[in-house]
Each structure stands twice: as structure tokens, then as C-alpha cells.
Amino acid sequence: MSASTRPAPTKLELLELLAAIGTAQWRDFAAAAAHHGLTSTQARVLAQLNGPLPMRGLATLLVCDASNVTGIVDRLEARELVRREADPSDRRVKNVVATDAGREIIRRVREEMQATHGALDTLDETESATLYALLGRLRPTMEKDAR
Amino acid sequence: MSASTRPAPTKLELLELLAAIGTAQWRDFAAAAAHHGLTSTQARVLAQLNGPLPMRGLATLLVCDASNVTGIVDRLEARELVRREADPSDRRVKNVVATDAGREIIRRVREEMQATHGALDTLDETESATLYALLGRLRPTMEKDAR
DNA sequence: CGGAGTTACTTGATGACATCAAACATCTGC
DNA sequence: GCAGATGTTTGATGTCATCAAGTAACTCCG
């Protein structure tokens, strides 16, 4: 109920605040990645690799050209953080999978996002739940227009 | 009050959701910028330029090397979106200011972040106020550790 | 004053990311 | 079984990122 008494923010104010949070989080992520010798792009790829993913699928997720992914995966593979596997059902496809080392390194990167962890720790359970619900509402719309 | 009845999300879940929102917003911003022939970095610079800002200040805000800023501003200046002005009080310093064209183009970029606008439009006034308050709580902590 | 040290900016070298166009192998549908 | 679509890589080019080094200007202190 504490919320309902506040003055409504301008849409522009809200937009700007959201941008600031996004920027801060990105910095946090990039810094943690750099700490492990990863560029932010490389870390982003590792973060996507829950299961095997074809090169093309990676390109789609990263919203970039497929030829770009070749180089990124090359560099990750050289460090043995990732492996290319032949797809059994389509010989054109190469599936990228994270190695144990790859999974471990991205886990640590997430752990070391101190600014973000610290910020979330300032919320109590109710606030966390509220934020989670609100962001969850935004998510589908924000991800829809991906093109 | 609707919020207080939800199950509390894991910190990891909340972290992941926050990351997803951040990523989506970045995509939206980059796409809008590309639509105007700007790289995301160039757009980011324009977005910072509310007033005159020395090169060094820009580098600090972007968290990158000062030498990098030289090239970025060179390219923006070639397109007349930005101008370098001598600082009256310190002849080493060059202040970067956005031209009218520069201000106009970044205004349009912000306007065209449709995914983000669309998502925020799904919230009513109370929800907006709540989200604004919660994100406002996170902001200082998230921006503190910048380095 | 005047030099030592700091700061602001640029240049040059190098590597990672990003695009596009083109080549190649493989799949799909008719 | 052939025409067209799809997945990946290569090569050319431009932008972004770093670092090291250089020049100019400021600051401080003896």
C-alpha cells in the first residue's frame, strides 16, 4: 500500500530510470566477465548456452549476423570453454555446447556481479516479489518485437 | 496488496529476469539507433550529451579508454551531430556539445524504442509508481560500484 | 620564476565485434 | 533428382576496445 500514495512518474522518467538500471547492470556484467578474461560478448554467449545450440540459433539470440558467431565461437573454442558438435539429424548444423570449464566460468561471472547482488539485497521479500511480478509483466512485450 | 500474496522469487530468478529486461531494452535501443545509421555506442554518446562535456568526462561515463572517445567523437563530428569546443578556462580541454541535428536524432531514437514504450504502456499508474519507486531504490547501489 | 609531476587529448598498433557478399555443403519440396 | 532454401565459413571493410607513447597545457612547490 505504500506505493499507491506516490505521485505517478512521467513515462519519460520511468524510461530513463529503466535505462539507467540497464546500463548499470551491463557494466556490472561486463566488469565481472573482464575479470575472467572474457569480453562481454563472449560472456553473453556462454550465458545463453544452457543446452546445445546451433550457430544459427546463437546468431538469432544475439541479434547479429551468423558470420559473426563463427569468430566468437572460434575464440571460445580455442579456450576450451565451448565445443562444436555435429548435429546427428542435419549435417549442415554445428551445435555449440559449453564445456564444464565454460559452465563454471559463467557461473562465477554471475556470482561476481556485486553491484547487482548488492542492489537486490536491499529489497525485502515483499518488494522482491512485487518487482518480480512487475518485470514479469513487462518481459513478454519487450521481447516480442525482437526483429 | 496484490503483490504481498505472491511466493517470493529466488534471488537468481529475479537476477535473471532483470538481465532479460536489460537485454531486451538494449536491443530496442540499438535497433532504433541503427534505424538512423548510428551504432549503439554513438547513440549512447549522444544520449549523454545534455550539456557540454569534456572528452575525459565522456570516457568516464562510457567506462572506456579516453583514446577510444577520440574516434567516436570524430565520426559523430563528421556527421555534424556533435561539435568540439575549446574550454575557456583550460586550453587542454575540448568540450563536446550536441548540435541541433544531434539532439533531434537522439530524441527520435528514444521515441522509436517501441518495445520499451509498448511494455511500459501495459502498466497502469499505480504499477508505474510502484516500479519507479522500486527501481529508484536499486539505482544508487547499482551505480555505486562503477569501476 | 621555473622545473617536476599531473592531466587532457591525440596517434598508432593490435585485437574483438559488427556488417555484407560470396562460396560451399546439405537439406527440402515438388 | 533438380531448384531453391538454409547453415556455416571465408574475406573485405568499418567501428569499438585496449595499451603505449607523444604533445600541450595546467598545478604545485621550492
Side-chain angles (χ1 to χ4, degrees):
Chain A
M1 48 196 56
S2 61
S4 55
T5 64
R6 288 172 210 290
T10 313
K11 192 170 161 190
L12 195 77
E13 288 173 327
L14 188 48
L15 202 83
E16 203 223 317
L17 182 52
L18 198 59
I21 297 285
T23 302
Q25 206 204 0
W26 177 256
R27 256 207 314 260
D28 202 22
F29 181 68
H35 197 261
H36 290 275
L38 294 174
T39 66
S40 30
T41 305
Q42 291 168 349
R44 212 167 139 216
V45 166
L46 282 177
Q48 303 282 358
L49 286 182
N50 291 330
L53 212 56
M55 303 290 284
R56 192 72 196 69
L58 261 177
T60 302
L61 285 174
L62 300 183
V63 197
C64 75
D65 195 90
S67 65
N68 196 10
V69 178
T70 298
I72 298 168
V73 170
D74 279 351
R75 287 179 281 271
L76 284 173
E77 200 169 26
R79 290 180 55 183
E80 315 225 338
L81 299 176
V82 127
R83 216 175 25 240
R84 274 181 244 236
E85 293 183 348
D87 187 296
S89 71
D90 186 337
R91 281 184 300 165
R92 290 170 304 179
V93 172
K94 293 176 188 171
N95 288 309
V96 185
V97 291
T99 62
D100 288 344
R103 276 187 291 273
E104 173 63 11
I105 210 172
I106 191 63
R107 190 187 64 70
R108 282 203 209 156
V109 167
R110 283 198 248 252
E111 245 177 37
E112 288 173 21
M113 294 176 62
Q114 298 182 0
T116 306
H117 283 292
L120 292 182
D121 283 340
T122 66
L123 301 184
D124 64 31
E125 276 202 11
T126 304
E127 292 168 323
S128 293
T130 306
L131 181 59
Y132 190 74
L134 286 172
L135 294 181
R137 286 264 311 276
L138 296 184
R139 183 173 193 171
T141 311
M142 292 205 52
E143 291 181 341
K144 178 118 3 161
D145 277 349
R147 169 208 17 108
Chain B
M1 46 201 64
S2 62
S4 55
T5 65
R6 287 172 211 291
T10 312
K11 191 170 163 191
L12 196 75
E13 289 173 326
L14 189 48
L15 203 81
E16 204 222 317
L17 182 52
L18 198 59
I21 298 283
T23 303
Q25 207 204 1
W26 177 256
R27 258 206 315 260
D28 201 22
F29 180 68
H35 197 264
H36 290 275
L38 295 173
T39 66
S40 31
T41 305
Q42 290 168 349
R44 212 165 139 217
V45 167
L46 282 177
Q48 302 282 359
L49 286 182
N50 291 328
L53 211 57
M55 303 289 284
R56 194 70 196 71
L58 262 178
T60 302
L61 285 175
L62 300 183
V63 195
C64 75
D65 195 90
S67 66
N68 195 11
V69 178
T70 298
I72 298 167
V73 170
D74 279 350
R75 288 180 281 271
L76 285 173
E77 200 169 27
R79 291 181 54 183
E80 315 227 337
L81 299 177
V82 125
R83 217 177 24 242
R84 275 181 243 236
E85 293 183 348
D87 188 295
S89 72
D90 186 337
R91 281 183 300 164
R92 291 171 302 179
V93 172
K94 293 176 188 171
N95 288 308
V96 184
V97 290
T99 62
D100 288 344
R103 276 187 291 272
E104 173 62 11
I105 210 171
I106 190 63
R107 190 186 64 70
R108 284 204 208 155
V109 168
R110 284 199 248 250
E111 245 177 38
E112 288 172 22
M113 294 177 62
Q114 298 183 0
T116 307
H117 283 291
L120 292 182
D121 284 339
T122 66
L123 302 184
D124 64 31
E125 277 202 11
T126 305
E127 293 169 323
S128 294
T130 307
L131 181 58
Y132 191 74
L134 285 172
L135 293 181
R137 285 266 309 278
L138 295 184
R139 183 174 192 169
T141 310
M142 291 203 54
E143 291 181 341
K144 179 124 351 165
D145 276 348
R147 179 198 27 85

